[in-house]
Structures are given as C-alpha cells and as structure tokens.
Amino acid sequence: MEKEEKTAVYDKGLRVEAFCFHGMARPFPNHFHEYYVIGLVEKGERRLVCRNQKYVIGQGNMILFNPGDSHSCRQADEGAMDYLGLNITKEVMAGLAEEITGDPLLPGFSAAVVQDEEAACCLKSLHEQIMGGSAEFGKEENLLLLLSMLIQRYGRPFAECIPECREEIEAACWFMELHYAEHISLDQI
C-alpha cells in the first residue's frame, strides 16, 4: 500500500495555500471549510457528496468548494487518490474578484465538480509554481487567469450558493458553542 503524503505551501505574496495529497486512501468524513477550495484529481476515483449531490470523481475532475459547502468523500476504487489544490480565504477572494470583475462581492461556484481541461492546466501550472517556491511575476497572472475562467464559466453570486437551512445551522452552532461544556442532546439543539 502506498504511503499517504500531505504537503502544503503558503505563498505569502499571493496569500494562497497550495496543497497536495499523494496516495490518499482514507475517507474524509462530512465537513466544511471557511475558505474556497479549488482542486484537481490527478489519480484515483472517489465518491464525493457535496451540497447533497453525489458524484464519482476521477482523473481530470476539478473540485470547486465554496466556503461552507458541506462535503465528504471516500475511495471508490481499490487504489488511492492523488489530488492537488488551492485554499483561498474569503478576504483574498474578494480582492481577487474585484480585480477581475471590478466588484468586490464574493463569487460562488454553481458546480462542485467540473471537467475543464483549460482551467485544470492553469491550476496545475500555478500549483507547481507555488509548491516550487517560484518568485516569478507570472504566478499572480496565472491566479487571476484561473479565477477569471472559473468565475466566468461557473460563477454566480455567493448569496445564491448558501444552503436554505444556513440560519438553522448557525443557530445550532451558536447553541453548541454557548453550551459546549454541558451535556446537551440533539433535541436541545
């Protein structure tokens, strides 16, 4: 069995984190992030659930997670997954969106999984530059090109991407944070 490797590099100039999973076979339980995730499956096949939609993802599929998108995945074949991606905070995305569109409003991605060879090539090139510690000026241009492609092809207003039950989830989270030291039941939440 392949050894699982996880690597991450933060680019201070771009304020973006690039990460890489190699030989990943373990499942990821349902979770979400407070930042955008733009990823590319390089090898392997996984079953992904995102925004209550089920997908089988494999080589060449791009993943577009908005902040707060609930998702989980597990291996669908006997192998392991190789996956690379970028984590972009909402603050950084707002600045990049303003540079691309002239409007600082956060974009949302309408699709969680896309097959887009041109965007995947751009992501892979940018990822290699960040992981390699490149000081090239072209990194910022590649990031802007990638995001402009994704926003143009799959973007919509962020407010349209928030699940309808978001207020209920926020109320439950608030209750749990307030009562974290106490014994609470699901009925109370």
Side-chain angles (χ1 to χ4, degrees):
M1 179 165 206
E2 280 186 86
K3 182 181 175 193
E4 293 182 353
E5 294 177 23
K6 295 181 258 176
T7 310
V9 172
Y10 182 74
D11 187 292
K12 291 179 183 178
L14 296 178
R15 300 185 321 160
V16 168
E17 179 182 60
F19 64 91
C20 185
F21 296 154
H22 178 74
M24 190 62 61
R26 68 179 174 90
F28 289 101
N30 197 34
H31 66 287
F32 65 92
H33 307 281
E34 290 296 325
Y35 46 84
Y36 290 86
V37 178
I38 299 170
L40 175 66
V41 179
E42 293 193 292
K43 182 180 113 183
E45 192 172 280
R46 307 271 288 182
R47 295 191 192 286
L48 169 73
V49 178
C50 181
R51 303 179 205 157
N52 295 318
Q53 297 290 317
K54 295 179 181 179
Y55 305 90
V56 175
I57 57 173
Q59 183 176 357
N61 283 135
M62 288 189 69
I63 309 302
L64 305 174
F65 294 151
N66 298 309
D69 280 351
S70 177
H71 59 280
S72 64
C73 71
R74 61 183 171 82
Q75 205 61 24
D77 62 9
E78 296 300 315
M81 176 182 70
D82 289 351
Y83 173 76
L84 60 87
L86 303 175
N87 295 329
I88 305 173
T89 65
K90 290 190 263 186
E91 175 190 17
V92 170
M93 184 63 87
L96 293 166
E98 183 173 23
E99 200 164 333
I100 293 165
T101 67
D103 192 343
L105 295 177
L106 287 174
F109 296 116
S110 57
V113 177
V114 299
Q115 187 77 30
D116 188 321
E117 199 173 313
E118 184 180 20
C121 184
C122 189
L123 171 60
K124 200 167 182 173
S125 174
L126 173 61
H127 188 271
E128 287 172 4
Q129 288 177 311
I130 295 171
M131 294 300 281
S134 172
E136 289 181 40
F137 176 72
K139 273 191 309 191
E140 184 176 3
E141 287 177 340
N142 281 346
L143 178 59
L144 291 169
L145 175 62
L146 172 65
L147 292 178
S148 65
M149 274 191 264
L150 296 176
I151 289 169
Q152 181 181 23
R153 295 173 187 173
Y154 314 106
R156 64 183 189 187
F158 185 73
E160 291 180 16
C161 300
I162 298 172
E164 290 181 26
C165 62
R166 188 69 182 179
E167 288 180 19
E168 295 167 349
I169 293 170
E170 288 175 4
C173 290
W174 174 83
F175 182 86
M176 288 186 288
E177 287 176 12
L178 189 64
H179 300 281
Y180 74 93
E182 303 168 24
H183 178 75
I184 57 175
S185 70
L186 286 176
D187 292 334
Q188 291 172 295
I189 297 173

